[in-house]
Amino acid sequence: MLSESKNKAFIEFIKNSSKEEIIWMSGFLSGIISSYENSKKLIKFKEKITLVYGTETGNAKNLAFSIVKKAKNKNIQIKLISLDQYRLIDLKKEIYFFIIISTHGEGEPPSSAKSFFDFIHQEQDLRLDNMKYSVLALGDRSYPFFCKAGEDVDRRLHELRASRLIPLHKCDVDFESKAEEWFTTMVNLFDKSKFQEEIIKKNVKKKKIYGTILTNILLNDKKRGSNKEIHHIEILIKNPDEVNYEPGDSVGIIAENSSKEVQNIMNFFQKKNDNISNKMKNIFDFFKKKANIFHLSTMMLKKYFTLVKKDIPYDREWNLLDLLKNFPMENRNQLEDLIQIMDPIKPRLYSISSSPIVHDSEIHITVSRHQFQIDGNIKYGYCSDFISKLKEGDILSFFIHKNYLFKLPESDKDIILIGPGTGIAPFRSFLYEREATGASGKNWLFFGDQHFAFDFLYQTEIQNWKQNGVLHRVSLAFSRDQEEKIYVQNKIWENRKEFFTWIKNGAYVYICGKKNPMSIDVENTIFRVIEEIGHTSPEFFIRKMKEGGRYLKDVY
Ligand SMILES: Cc1cc2nc3c(=O)[nH]c(=O)nc-3n(C[C@H](O)[C@H](O)[C@H](O)COP(=O)(O)O)c2cc1C
């Protein structure tokens, strides 16, 4: 109610207003009322907000970290947890629950999100009545199950009675604008003052870069008996001004299929004397550069079987050539149908081993030609085989994959680099960079492989860095040079007192290379060192290191 004096003034004011003025005033007042209503909906900052992420190749993780940082600047505290660290019993307690999750495999969640995913789908009695949630799904539209894991989580949480705060946002490979939209909506719920800042770094965009192969050197001495085939590849970038990378970043490479294999496929659709039309040339290019013709997915096989109307066994590996031979298509016109059902070639990531300030206009990578056996026959990894065979002058296209979480610290900080085998790649980049910038922090490298004489990757450079003082310590482990196997973790243990002194004094620890067993054994050893030398809880110590960004892994 208005006070008597206000009421009088108001009536007087209305009396003196025209019909149009009164209509305008009524609109104005309803605007004010609705803004009051909205402001009541704003959620206080004090509420507990959790952001979880499920990632395979780091995009979801990078996004989650950048979101938490930006939110913090706006006084919004968000608890950030990787889904593989998340305690599932806490789910019932969540009030505001945000999820960033990618899709991998054939529409599956990333391995780090598997337990969470299975848990919410398998628990029949779970009820999440108090939870308000939103899902940001990362994916790639060229896959048949676009953003499926995100869709599944979004649907399932709804089934479990949680309320959807913001609708599901599905992002393609250029996820930045969608992610930004999601984040801005989320922040606006918590922050009345319009928060319009750019949050996602623009350069996450996967721009295609072209380069020419300058060198392809085999780093192992095969003749003297090395079991390994690791290549050092130097690429000259075509337009260096367009390329922006930092030590710790990777390149994504999409391998091409061999012309011979593609021609064999084309032979099913071309007669010997056919004139090769432009259309056929384009189709040849499609199979060479875009279509995945090996290890065909179950999804693709199912579609093929529908096309040829045959029952085909799923319990073995198929490549396209075998499929066409064993279950031919009825006629040549079905080529168009085949093109429609092919999956795209998936990119593979390789750590960059050069430094942008030392190796001007170049990018170096360190690629192990992956070898394995099927039915007694030697086979090679699809992409690593392609890269290993590149020759000087060949053109390669690739993209930069930023890794914001695997970066050098400030120049005065000490670093411990643990990178056996190809795990050395980013550390070569780090050390070149630290040498060139005259960084005052100390550097300790742990490297290992099978044999000193023929598997010591970048031996000359490492020895030079030791001599000129860039490397303060080098610990080498060559597993097969003596009876008993010696690995990098044994070297950590051997130097445990000094190792603990370094980390106690603030050194950053980086682990790169094979996830299993290397990184697991190394981490177990670091735990033991902290427990036995530091006499403290390794879980707590490592958690503190992680919170300070001092414990970083890039493992595969
Ligand atoms: C091996 C592989 C399989 C993938 N499968 C799918 C898929 O089935 N559906 C989809 O939408 N995206 C798929 N993607 C694309 C990823 O979801 C996309 O690159 C995402 O940004 C990765 O995020 P992450 O780094 O957080 O794992 C796949 C990517 C790779 C490398």
Side-chain angles (χ1 to χ4, degrees):
M1 281 298 288
L2 293 175
S3 66
E4 200 175 324
S5 60
K6 272 188 182 168
N7 190 42
K8 205 172 153 198
F10 178 69
I11 300 288
E12 195 64 22
F13 184 66
I14 296 287
K15 262 194 207 160
N16 292 330
S17 302
S18 68
K19 190 178 162 196
E20 285 73 29
E21 282 170 337
I22 293 174
I23 292 172
W24 181 87
M25 280 188 271
S26 117
F28 181 79
L29 287 174
S30 55
I32 292 182
I33 292 164
S34 83
S35 85
Y36 280 147
E37 294 290 313
N38 286 341
S39 71
K40 267 190 233 148
K41 281 187 204 146
L42 287 171
I43 296 150
K44 281 199 202 108
F45 293 177
K46 298 281 170 283
E47 299 280 3
K48 179 179 164 243
I49 309 167
T50 306
L51 174 63
V52 291
Y53 60 87
T55 190
E56 195 72 56
T57 53
N59 290 338
K61 186 175 181 183
N62 287 338
L63 262 178
F65 270 77
S66 83
I67 280 176
V68 168
K69 200 169 155 202
K70 289 285 180 180
K72 200 170 178 186
N73 292 341
K74 287 278 157 189
N75 277 334
I76 303 173
Q77 288 298 337
I78 300 182
K79 190 173 163 203
L80 177 66
I81 315 177
S82 163
L83 276 173
D84 58 357
Q85 306 282 322
Y86 186 77
R87 290 193 331 173
L88 297 163
I89 47 161
D90 287 346
L91 256 184
K92 281 188 182 166
K93 296 186 222 149
E94 298 293 352
I95 307 290
Y96 294 109
F97 194 60
F98 294 89
I99 304 126
I100 306 181
I101 186 167
S102 60
T103 296
H104 281 267
E106 289 174 50
E108 284 139 26
S111 47
S112 64
K114 182 103 178 35
S115 321
F116 168 81
F117 190 89
D118 289 347
F119 180 77
I120 59 168
H121 282 89
Q122 284 159 11
E123 283 291 314
Q124 296 305 324
D125 298 324
L126 188 61
R127 290 287 170 268
L128 302 173
D129 300 89
N130 294 328
M131 179 189 280
K132 297 175 188 64
Y133 75 96
S134 180
V135 179
L136 180 74
L138 299 191
D140 181 344
R141 215 172 267 286
S142 55
Y143 285 92
F145 296 110
F146 175 50
C147 286
K148 173 134 189 328
E151 283 177 344
D152 289 346
V153 170
D154 179 69
R155 191 185 45 250
R156 184 62 184 156
L157 291 179
H158 188 67
E159 282 167 11
L160 296 172
R161 300 201 198 156
S163 2
R164 207 180 270 119
L165 205 53
I166 306 169
L168 170 72
H169 277 48
K170 294 201 281 183
C171 308
D172 206 338
V173 278
D174 50 347
F175 47 76
E176 44 296 90
S177 62
K178 257 282 154 69
E180 187 179 355
E181 182 189 296
W182 184 74
F183 175 60
T184 309
T185 319
M186 169 180 161
V187 164
N188 281 341
L189 288 171
F190 300 100
D191 186 357
K192 199 175 159 193
S193 63
K194 290 281 163 272
F195 175 32
Q196 299 296 357
E197 275 179 56
E198 280 277 306
I199 56 121
I200 314 296
K201 293 190 179 154
K202 287 287 172 216
N203 52 4
V204 286
K205 201 163 192 152
K206 308 231 177 302
K207 192 168 164 231
K208 216 173 194 185
I209 299 164
Y210 291 90
T212 312
I213 303 297
L214 288 176
T215 323
N216 177 350
I217 305 169
L218 181 59
L219 296 176
N220 310 85
D221 195 340
K222 294 282 286 180
K223 282 195 202 116
R224 288 169 66 199
S226 173
N227 301 312
K228 301 280 188 84
E229 194 179 326
I230 299 175
H231 293 251
H232 170 74
I233 315 263
E234 297 186 358
I235 308 159
L236 180 68
I237 306 165
K238 192 169 169 216
N239 294 318
D241 292 347
E242 292 175 8
V243 178
N244 174 16
Y245 81 89
E246 290 170 73
D249 291 340
S250 310
V251 292
I253 297 181
I254 298 178
E256 287 180 15
N257 295 312
S258 88
S259 296
K260 198 172 144 211
E261 185 86 3
V262 173
Q263 192 50 57
N264 287 337
I265 291 168
M266 297 299 285
N267 291 343
F268 278 89
F269 302 96
Q270 277 173 330
K271 285 206 183 117
K272 276 238 167 77
N273 302 328
D274 271 1
N275 281 336
I276 309 292
S277 62
N278 263 349
K279 187 176 161 203
M280 278 321 228
K281 276 195 199 119
N282 288 342
I283 293 173
F284 184 94
D285 261 18
F286 168 80
F287 280 110
K288 186 162 171 60
K289 295 181 181 169
K290 302 242 161 77
N292 174 46
I293 59 174
F294 296 108
H295 311 300
L296 301 177
S297 68
T298 320
M299 189 65 195
M300 186 273 165
L301 289 174
K302 280 184 181 156
K303 289 181 191 162
Y304 185 83
F305 303 159
T306 317
L307 278 183
V308 293
K309 303 185 190 74
K310 301 255 167 59
D311 276 340
I312 301 171
Y314 289 113
D315 57 355
R316 55 157 282 193
E317 283 268 331
W318 286 101
N319 64 42
L320 186 58
L321 201 56
D322 286 344
L323 202 60
L324 291 166
K325 277 184 197 158
N326 287 285
F327 303 96
M329 300 188 103
E330 275 166 19
N331 61 56
R332 296 203 294 162
N333 299 337
Q334 281 186 293
L335 177 58
E336 304 284 341
D337 297 331
L338 179 63
I339 290 171
Q340 291 298 322
I341 64 168
M342 295 304 299
D343 288 330
I345 302 175
K346 290 166 191 163
R348 305 287 196 281
L349 296 178
Y350 296 94
S351 304
I352 297 177
S353 52
S354 51
S355 144
I357 49 174
V358 179
H359 306 101
D360 190 28
S361 309
E362 291 177 19
I363 282 185
H364 303 174
I365 49 175
T366 312
V367 178
S368 173
R369 188 174 179 218
H370 180 46
Q371 185 180 316
F372 52 96
Q373 289 204 4
I374 294 183
D375 302 333
N377 301 318
I378 293 183
K379 301 272 178 192
Y380 292 100
Y382 173 63
C383 191
S384 64
D385 187 44
F386 163 76
I387 299 173
S388 308
K389 287 177 182 155
L390 289 169
K391 298 181 300 300
E392 198 183 317
D394 283 350
I395 305 290
L396 180 70
S397 77
F398 56 93
F399 59 84
I400 302 287
H401 178 86
K402 302 296 281 181
N403 191 349
Y404 298 112
L405 304 172
F406 204 74
K407 288 280 162 278
L408 275 167
E410 290 102 87
S411 58
D412 59 342
K413 305 285 188 225
D414 298 343
I415 55 177
I416 299 177
L417 310 172
I418 305 160
T422 50
I424 187 71
F427 302 148
R428 179 177 181 264
S429 171
F430 278 18
L431 291 168
Y432 266 119
E433 188 90 356
R434 282 210 136 186
E435 180 178 31
T437 53
S440 59
K442 290 188 290 174
N443 308 311
W444 183 354
L445 175 69
F446 286 85
F447 174 73
D449 214 309
Q450 290 186 349
H451 299 283
F452 177 94
F454 19 92
D455 300 317
F456 192 167
L457 313 182
Y458 303 116
Q459 178 180 0
T460 319
E461 281 148 304
I462 291 171
Q463 281 168 345
N464 280 344
W465 281 321
K466 183 76 187 80
Q467 260 167 24
N468 68 16
V470 169
L471 272 174
H472 300 78
R473 293 222 50 183
V474 181
S475 300
L476 300 169
F478 291 98
S479 58
R480 301 195 185 181
D481 279 348
Q482 61 286 307
E483 193 100 322
E484 162 214 9
K485 295 266 173 68
I486 298 176
Y487 298 108
V488 280
Q489 62 268 24
N490 301 107
K491 290 287 155 182
I492 294 173
W493 186 246
E494 205 177 293
N495 295 283
R496 56 193 175 277
K497 279 202 179 122
E498 205 176 346
F499 190 95
F500 186 73
T501 307
W502 276 53
I503 55 175
K504 192 179 73 185
N505 292 339
Y508 285 58
V509 171
Y510 296 80
I511 305 169
C512 183
K514 284 263 153 48
K515 187 188 244 168
N516 200 355
M518 187 280 291
S519 75
I520 295 168
D521 293 342
V522 163
E523 289 200 84
N524 286 338
T525 307
I526 296 177
F527 266 57
R528 268 178 65 207
V529 170
I530 295 168
E531 198 158 38
E532 292 191 24
I533 306 298
H535 303 293
T536 181
S537 148
E539 286 82 10
F540 182 75
F541 196 96
I542 296 285
R543 179 147 43 88
K544 284 280 153 216
M545 283 186 79
K546 282 185 180 167
E547 281 168 14
R550 294 204 291 119
Y551 189 85
L552 303 154
K553 282 191 290 180
D554 184 4
V555 295
Y556 34 84

CSV table of all heavy atoms in Angstrom, one decimal, residues 351-378:
chain,number,residue,atom,x,y,z
A,351,SER,N,52.8,-35.7,-29.0
A,351,SER,CA,53.4,-34.5,-28.2
A,351,SER,C,54.5,-33.8,-29.1
A,351,SER,O,55.3,-34.5,-29.8
A,351,SER,CB,54.2,-35.0,-27.0
A,351,SER,OG,53.3,-35.7,-26.2
A,352,ILE,N,54.5,-32.5,-29.1
A,352,ILE,CA,55.5,-31.8,-29.9
A,352,ILE,C,56.8,-31.8,-29.1
A,352,ILE,O,56.8,-31.6,-27.9
A,352,ILE,CB,55.0,-30.3,-30.1
A,352,ILE,CG1,53.7,-30.3,-30.9
A,352,ILE,CG2,56.0,-29.5,-30.7
A,352,ILE,CD1,53.1,-28.9,-31.1
A,353,SER,N,57.9,-32.1,-29.9
A,353,SER,CA,59.2,-32.2,-29.2
A,353,SER,C,60.1,-31.0,-29.5
A,353,SER,O,61.3,-31.0,-29.1
A,353,SER,CB,59.8,-33.5,-29.5
A,353,SER,OG,59.9,-33.8,-30.9
A,354,SER,N,59.6,-30.0,-30.2
A,354,SER,CA,60.4,-28.8,-30.5
A,354,SER,C,60.0,-27.7,-29.7
A,354,SER,O,58.9,-27.7,-29.0
A,354,SER,CB,60.2,-28.5,-32.0
A,354,SER,OG,58.9,-28.4,-32.3
A,355,SER,N,60.8,-26.6,-29.7
A,355,SER,CA,60.4,-25.4,-29.0
A,355,SER,C,60.1,-24.3,-30.0
A,355,SER,O,60.9,-24.1,-30.9
A,355,SER,CB,61.5,-25.0,-28.0
A,355,SER,OG,61.6,-23.6,-28.0
A,356,PRO,N,59.0,-23.6,-29.8
A,356,PRO,CA,58.7,-22.5,-30.8
A,356,PRO,C,59.7,-21.4,-30.9
A,356,PRO,O,59.9,-20.8,-32.0
A,356,PRO,CB,57.3,-22.0,-30.4
A,356,PRO,CG,57.2,-22.4,-29.0
A,356,PRO,CD,58.0,-23.6,-28.8
A,357,ILE,N,60.4,-21.2,-29.8
A,357,ILE,CA,61.4,-20.1,-29.9
A,357,ILE,C,62.8,-20.6,-30.5
A,357,ILE,O,63.5,-19.8,-30.9
A,357,ILE,CB,61.6,-19.3,-28.6
A,357,ILE,CG1,61.8,-20.2,-27.4
A,357,ILE,CG2,60.4,-18.3,-28.4
A,357,ILE,CD1,62.1,-19.4,-26.2
A,358,VAL,N,63.0,-21.8,-30.4
A,358,VAL,CA,64.3,-22.3,-30.9
A,358,VAL,C,64.2,-22.8,-32.3
A,358,VAL,O,65.0,-22.6,-33.1
A,358,VAL,CB,64.8,-23.5,-29.9
A,358,VAL,CG1,66.2,-24.0,-30.4
A,358,VAL,CG2,64.9,-23.0,-28.5
A,359,HIS,N,63.1,-23.6,-32.6
A,359,HIS,CA,63.0,-24.2,-33.9
A,359,HIS,C,62.0,-23.4,-34.7
A,359,HIS,O,60.8,-23.8,-34.8
A,359,HIS,CB,62.5,-25.6,-33.7
A,359,HIS,CG,63.4,-26.4,-32.8
A,359,HIS,ND1,63.1,-26.7,-31.5
A,359,HIS,CD2,64.6,-27.0,-33.1
A,359,HIS,CE1,64.1,-27.4,-31.0
A,359,HIS,NE2,65.0,-27.6,-31.9
A,360,ASP,N,62.5,-22.2,-35.2
A,360,ASP,CA,61.6,-21.3,-35.9
A,360,ASP,C,60.9,-21.9,-37.1
A,360,ASP,O,61.6,-22.6,-37.9
A,360,ASP,CB,62.5,-20.1,-36.3
A,360,ASP,CG,61.7,-19.0,-36.8
A,360,ASP,OD1,60.5,-18.9,-36.4
A,360,ASP,OD2,62.2,-18.3,-37.7
A,361,SER,N,59.6,-21.8,-37.2
A,361,SER,CA,58.8,-22.3,-38.3
A,361,SER,C,58.8,-23.8,-38.4
A,361,SER,O,58.4,-24.3,-39.5
A,361,SER,CB,59.4,-21.7,-39.7
A,361,SER,OG,59.5,-20.4,-39.6
A,362,GLU,N,59.2,-24.5,-37.4
A,362,GLU,CA,59.2,-25.9,-37.5
A,362,GLU,C,58.4,-26.5,-36.3
A,362,GLU,O,58.3,-25.9,-35.3
A,362,GLU,CB,60.7,-26.5,-37.3
A,362,GLU,CG,61.5,-26.2,-38.5
A,362,GLU,CD,63.0,-26.6,-38.3
A,362,GLU,OE1,63.2,-27.5,-37.5
A,362,GLU,OE2,63.8,-26.1,-39.1
A,363,ILE,N,58.0,-27.8,-36.5
A,363,ILE,CA,57.4,-28.6,-35.5
A,363,ILE,C,58.1,-29.9,-35.5
A,363,ILE,O,58.2,-30.5,-36.6
A,363,ILE,CB,55.9,-28.7,-35.6
A,363,ILE,CG1,55.2,-27.4,-35.1
A,363,ILE,CG2,55.3,-29.9,-34.9
A,363,ILE,CD1,53.7,-27.4,-35.1
A,364,HIS,N,58.5,-30.4,-34.4
A,364,HIS,CA,59.1,-31.8,-34.3
A,364,HIS,C,58.2,-32.7,-33.5
A,364,HIS,O,57.6,-32.3,-32.5
A,364,HIS,CB,60.5,-31.7,-33.7
A,364,HIS,CG,61.5,-30.8,-34.3
A,364,HIS,ND1,62.7,-30.5,-33.8
A,364,HIS,CD2,61.4,-30.0,-35.4
A,364,HIS,CE1,63.4,-29.7,-34.6
A,364,HIS,NE2,62.6,-29.3,-35.6
A,365,ILE,N,58.2,-33.9,-34.0
A,365,ILE,CA,57.4,-34.9,-33.2
A,365,ILE,C,58.3,-36.2,-33.1
A,365,ILE,O,59.2,-36.4,-33.9
A,365,ILE,CB,56.1,-35.3,-33.8
A,365,ILE,CG1,56.2,-35.6,-35.3
A,365,ILE,CG2,55.1,-34.2,-33.6
A,365,ILE,CD1,54.8,-36.0,-35.9
A,366,THR,N,57.9,-37.0,-32.1
A,366,THR,CA,58.7,-38.2,-31.8
A,366,THR,C,57.7,-39.4,-31.9
A,366,THR,O,56.9,-39.5,-31.0
A,366,THR,CB,59.4,-38.1,-30.4
A,366,THR,OG1,60.0,-36.8,-30.3
A,366,THR,CG2,60.4,-39.2,-30.2
A,367,VAL,N,57.8,-40.2,-32.9
A,367,VAL,CA,56.7,-41.2,-33.2
A,367,VAL,C,57.2,-42.6,-33.1
A,367,VAL,O,58.1,-43.0,-33.9
A,367,VAL,CB,56.1,-40.9,-34.5
A,367,VAL,CG1,55.0,-41.9,-34.8
A,367,VAL,CG2,55.5,-39.5,-34.6
A,368,SER,N,56.6,-43.4,-32.3
A,368,SER,CA,57.0,-44.8,-32.2
A,368,SER,C,56.2,-45.6,-33.2
A,368,SER,O,54.9,-45.5,-33.2
A,368,SER,CB,56.8,-45.3,-30.8
A,368,SER,OG,57.0,-46.7,-30.8
A,369,ARG,N,56.8,-46.3,-34.1
A,369,ARG,CA,56.0,-47.1,-35.1
A,369,ARG,C,55.5,-48.4,-34.3
A,369,ARG,O,56.3,-49.3,-34.0
A,369,ARG,CB,56.9,-47.5,-36.3
A,369,ARG,CG,56.1,-48.2,-37.4
A,369,ARG,CD,57.0,-48.5,-38.6
A,369,ARG,NE,56.3,-49.1,-39.6
A,369,ARG,CZ,56.9,-50.0,-40.4
A,369,ARG,NH1,58.2,-50.4,-40.2
A,369,ARG,NH2,56.3,-50.6,-41.4
A,370,HIS,N,54.2,-48.3,-34.1
A,370,HIS,CA,53.6,-49.3,-33.2
A,370,HIS,C,53.5,-50.7,-34.0
A,370,HIS,O,53.0,-50.7,-35.1
A,370,HIS,CB,52.2,-48.8,-32.8
A,370,HIS,CG,51.5,-49.8,-31.9
A,370,HIS,ND1,52.1,-50.4,-30.8
A,370,HIS,CD2,50.2,-50.2,-32.0
A,370,HIS,CE1,51.2,-51.2,-30.3
A,370,HIS,NE2,50.0,-51.1,-31.0
A,371,GLN,N,54.1,-51.7,-33.3
A,371,GLN,CA,54.1,-53.0,-34.0
A,371,GLN,C,53.4,-54.1,-33.1
A,371,GLN,O,53.6,-54.1,-31.9
A,371,GLN,CB,55.5,-53.4,-34.2
A,371,GLN,CG,55.7,-54.7,-35.0
A,371,GLN,CD,57.2,-55.1,-35.2
A,371,GLN,OE1,58.0,-54.2,-35.5
A,371,GLN,NE2,57.5,-56.3,-35.0
A,372,PHE,N,52.6,-54.9,-33.8
A,372,PHE,CA,51.9,-56.0,-33.0
A,372,PHE,C,51.6,-57.2,-33.9
A,372,PHE,O,51.9,-57.1,-35.1
A,372,PHE,CB,50.6,-55.5,-32.3
A,372,PHE,CG,49.7,-54.8,-33.3
A,372,PHE,CD1,48.6,-55.5,-33.9
A,372,PHE,CD2,49.8,-53.5,-33.7
A,372,PHE,CE1,47.7,-54.9,-34.8
A,372,PHE,CE2,49.0,-52.9,-34.6
A,372,PHE,CZ,47.9,-53.6,-35.1
A,373,GLN,N,51.2,-58.3,-33.3
A,373,GLN,CA,50.9,-59.5,-34.2
A,373,GLN,C,49.5,-59.9,-34.1
A,373,GLN,O,48.8,-59.8,-33.1
A,373,GLN,CB,51.7,-60.6,-33.6
A,373,GLN,CG,53.2,-60.5,-33.8
A,373,GLN,CD,54.0,-61.8,-33.8
A,373,GLN,OE1,53.4,-62.9,-33.7
A,373,GLN,NE2,55.3,-61.8,-34.0
A,374,ILE,N,49.0,-60.3,-35.3
A,374,ILE,CA,47.6,-60.8,-35.4
A,374,ILE,C,47.8,-62.1,-36.2
A,374,ILE,O,48.3,-62.1,-37.3
A,374,ILE,CB,46.6,-59.9,-36.1
A,374,ILE,CG1,46.4,-58.6,-35.3
A,374,ILE,CG2,45.3,-60.6,-36.3
A,374,ILE,CD1,45.4,-57.7,-35.8
A,375,ASP,N,47.4,-63.2,-35.5
A,375,ASP,CA,47.5,-64.6,-36.1
A,375,ASP,C,48.9,-64.8,-36.6
A,375,ASP,O,49.1,-65.3,-37.8
A,375,ASP,CB,46.5,-64.7,-37.3
A,375,ASP,CG,45.1,-64.5,-36.9
A,375,ASP,OD1,44.8,-64.8,-35.7
A,375,ASP,OD2,44.2,-64.1,-37.7
A,376,GLY,N,49.9,-64.4,-35.9
A,376,GLY,CA,51.3,-64.7,-36.3
A,376,GLY,C,51.8,-63.7,-37.3
A,376,GLY,O,53.0,-63.7,-37.6
A,377,ASN,N,51.0,-62.8,-37.8
A,377,ASN,CA,51.5,-61.8,-38.8
A,377,ASN,C,51.8,-60.5,-38.1
A,377,ASN,O,51.0,-60.1,-37.3
A,377,ASN,CB,50.4,-61.6,-39.9
A,377,ASN,CG,50.1,-62.9,-40.6
A,377,ASN,OD1,51.0,-63.7,-41.0
A,377,ASN,ND2,48.8,-63.1,-40.9
A,378,ILE,N,52.9,-59.9,-38.6
A,378,ILE,CA,53.3,-58.6,-38.0
A,378,ILE,C,52.4,-57.5,-38.6
A,378,ILE,O,52.3,-57.4,-39.8
A,378,ILE,CB,54.8,-58.3,-38.2
A,378,ILE,CG1,55.6,-59.3,-37.4
A,378,ILE,CG2,55.1,-56.9,-37.8
A,378,ILE,CD1,57.1,-59.1,-37.4
